[in-house]
Every structure is written in structure tokens, then in C-alpha cells.
């Protein structure tokens, strides 16, 4: 469970790190803000509006359940975003330069790769032998010792992968109604895929 929490905390720090790029990109934000129109978004959708210089990312209200939205906005501004807006439907729109957005996606993918390696080599997930994934972070395969896996809590690793896969896709512009992360659990000895977990469906079933 500690590994799963560390993955999510890494993503928070990624947002902070990307906010450190402040020089010419801020001027680009100011110029483009005067030229672009902000579209109103629905509470359950993520909108990534890629303008000439800026990118606007709107995260749905479900990302902020139980949080103080005013504090979320204040933190975003402290982290270096050009602007963060709390919308009436509970969603939050972040504005950043294209370079910040590109760097953010690269850093998310890098953190996923590092977390995958840590999970594979961790004593906390003894049954896991290998983890592979596609470039869009929409499909992961966890190769395990089936007997050990079925008598452990190593299935929590799938939850972590589902979360980071969803996070990456949403920030890359996949609609919240369309994104999917498929986790296949494969037995190392036989090659059999004996379980498949689909996010976000799995969360709705719980």
C-alpha cells in the first residue's frame, strides 16, 4: 500500500515541478489569454484545450471530492500555474504553457516507469515478476506467480496502475467518458491471463 500512495504523491510533486517554469512561458500565457476563449465544461468531463501557446486542463469535480476547492486553487497558483479557476460545477481549470504541459506528460510517464520498476523489485509485492504497458498507458500486464498472488494483497498494485494510467490519459486529452485502463494479470508459469481488471469500471463495482 505504501508503494501505491507513493505513486499518487509523485504525481502531486510532478504538478509542482512543472510549475517552476516561469519566464517566457508566463509571457506567452498572458498573450494567449487575451486571444483564447474558455469553454464551460461539464462536471464529469476532462477538457484539454490546446491553444496556440497555452493549454487548459479541466479536471472533473470527482477529482476533488472532500477537498477545499479554494485551497486547491491557491495551491495551484503557488505551484506556478498561470491561473487556476474553480468552476461552478466543482471542476477546476488549470492554465499552463504548452511547454509545461509537454513536460508534465513526460514526467508522469517517467514516474510511471520508475514506479513500475520499484513495484517489480519490491518485497511488498512478492508475487509480481514483471509489468509491461503500452505507450498510451491504457493497458498494463502484470506477470505474477499465480499461487503467491492469490494468497496475497498484491492486487492493490493494479489499483495504483489504474490510477496513474487514468491520470496520464486525462491530462493527455482523453475524454473522461471514454478513457479506459485495462489491467491483465498473467501467470508467469503458464502464460495464462487469469484475471482482467478494467478501470474505471472496477471502481464503480466496488
Amino acid at each position: 500500500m505504501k508503494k501505491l500512495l507513493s505513486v499518487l504523491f509523485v504525481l502531486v510533486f510532478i504538478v509542482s515541478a512543472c510549475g517552476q517554469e516561469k519566464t517566457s512561458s508566463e509571457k506567452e500565457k498572458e498573450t494567449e489569454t487575451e486571444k483564447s476563449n474558455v469553454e464551460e465544461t461539464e462536471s464529469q468531463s476532462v477538457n484539454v484545450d490546446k491553444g496556440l501557446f497555452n493549454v487548459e486542463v479541466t479536471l472533473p469535480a470527482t477529482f476533488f471530492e472532500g477537498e477545499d476547492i479554494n485551497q486547491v486553487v491557491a495551491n495551484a497558483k503557488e505551484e506556478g500555474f498561470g491561473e487556476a479557476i474553480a468552476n461552478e460545477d466543482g471542476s477546476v481549470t488549470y492554465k499552463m504553457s504548452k511547454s509545461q504541459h509537454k513536460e508534465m506528460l513526460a514526467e508522469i510517464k517517467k514516474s510511471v516507469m520508475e514506479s513500475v520498476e520499484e513495484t517489480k523489485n519490491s518485497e511488498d509485492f512478492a508475487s509480481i515478476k514483471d509489468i509491461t504497458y503500452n505507450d498510451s498507458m491504457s493497458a498494463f500486464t502484470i506477470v505474477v506467480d499465480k499461487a503467491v498472488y492469490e494468497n496475497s494483497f498484491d492486487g492493490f498494485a493494479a489499483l495504483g496502475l489504474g490510477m496513474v494510467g487514468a491520470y496520464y490519459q486525462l491530462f493527455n486529452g482523453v475524454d473522461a467518458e471514454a478513457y479506459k485502463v485495462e489491467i491483465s494479470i498473467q501467470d508467469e508459469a503458464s502464460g495464462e491471463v487469469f484475471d482482467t481488471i478494467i478501470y474505471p469500471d472496477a471502481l464503480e463495482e466496488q
Side-chain angles (χ1 to χ4, degrees):
M1 181 63 80
K2 290 181 180 179
K3 292 295 182 184
L4 301 182
L5 292 175
S6 68
V7 170
L8 300 180
F9 284 132
V10 164
L11 296 178
V12 174
F13 286 120
I14 288 169
V15 174
S16 299
C18 290
Q20 299 303 315
E21 184 184 343
K22 291 185 178 179
T23 55
S24 60
S25 62
E26 281 191 343
K27 296 179 181 178
E28 291 176 344
K29 288 192 191 77
E30 293 173 358
T31 301
E32 180 59 19
T33 298
E34 297 174 356
K35 298 178 181 178
S36 61
N37 293 321
V38 179
E39 297 182 356
E40 183 176 354
T41 57
E42 297 179 357
S43 62
Q44 297 304 314
S45 66
V46 171
N47 180 51
V48 178
D49 180 18
K50 299 178 181 179
L52 184 61
F53 297 110
N54 289 348
V55 176
E56 294 183 6
V57 178
T58 300
L59 298 184
T62 52
F63 270 47
F64 307 104
E65 289 181 359
E67 296 189 43
D68 183 343
I69 292 298
N70 292 329
Q71 189 61 50
V72 169
V73 169
N75 290 343
K77 292 180 179 179
E78 289 177 1
E79 288 159 3
F81 286 103
E83 190 174 2
I85 301 171
N87 303 309
E88 291 183 0
D89 58 13
S91 63
V92 176
T93 298
Y94 297 90
K95 296 183 180 182
M96 67 195 80
S97 68
K98 273 195 168 183
S99 59
Q100 282 179 308
H101 183 251
K102 183 177 180 180
E103 182 181 354
M104 177 181 289
L105 290 175
E107 287 298 324
I108 292 174
K109 182 167 287 190
K110 180 181 177 182
S111 73
V112 172
M113 295 169 63
E114 292 173 347
S115 297
V116 162
E117 290 303 312
E118 289 178 5
T119 300
K120 285 161 52 176
N121 298 317
S122 172
E123 295 180 358
D124 295 337
F125 300 109
S127 72
I128 297 177
K129 305 304 179 182
D130 194 15
I131 300 173
T132 60
Y133 49 89
N134 63 1
D135 189 61
S136 64
M137 302 288 171
S138 62
F140 293 80
T141 298
I142 305 177
V143 181
V144 302
D145 180 322
K146 184 177 180 180
V148 177
Y149 177 84
E150 292 181 334
N151 290 283
S152 71
F153 292 100
D154 290 1
F156 279 116
L159 172 61
L161 295 175
M163 293 293 289
V164 294
Y167 192 91
Y168 178 83
Q169 290 183 65
L170 293 173
F171 265 91
N172 200 29
V174 177
D175 190 270
E177 300 299 326
Y179 87 91
K180 180 177 72 172
V181 183
E182 180 175 314
I183 314 291
S184 299
I185 312 299
Q186 182 179 44
D187 180 31
E188 180 184 37
S190 67
E192 172 198 8
V193 174
F194 62 90
D195 193 14
T196 301
I197 306 165
I198 307 293
Y199 291 97
D201 298 354
L203 297 176
E204 296 172 358
E205 293 169 0
Q206 293 178 354

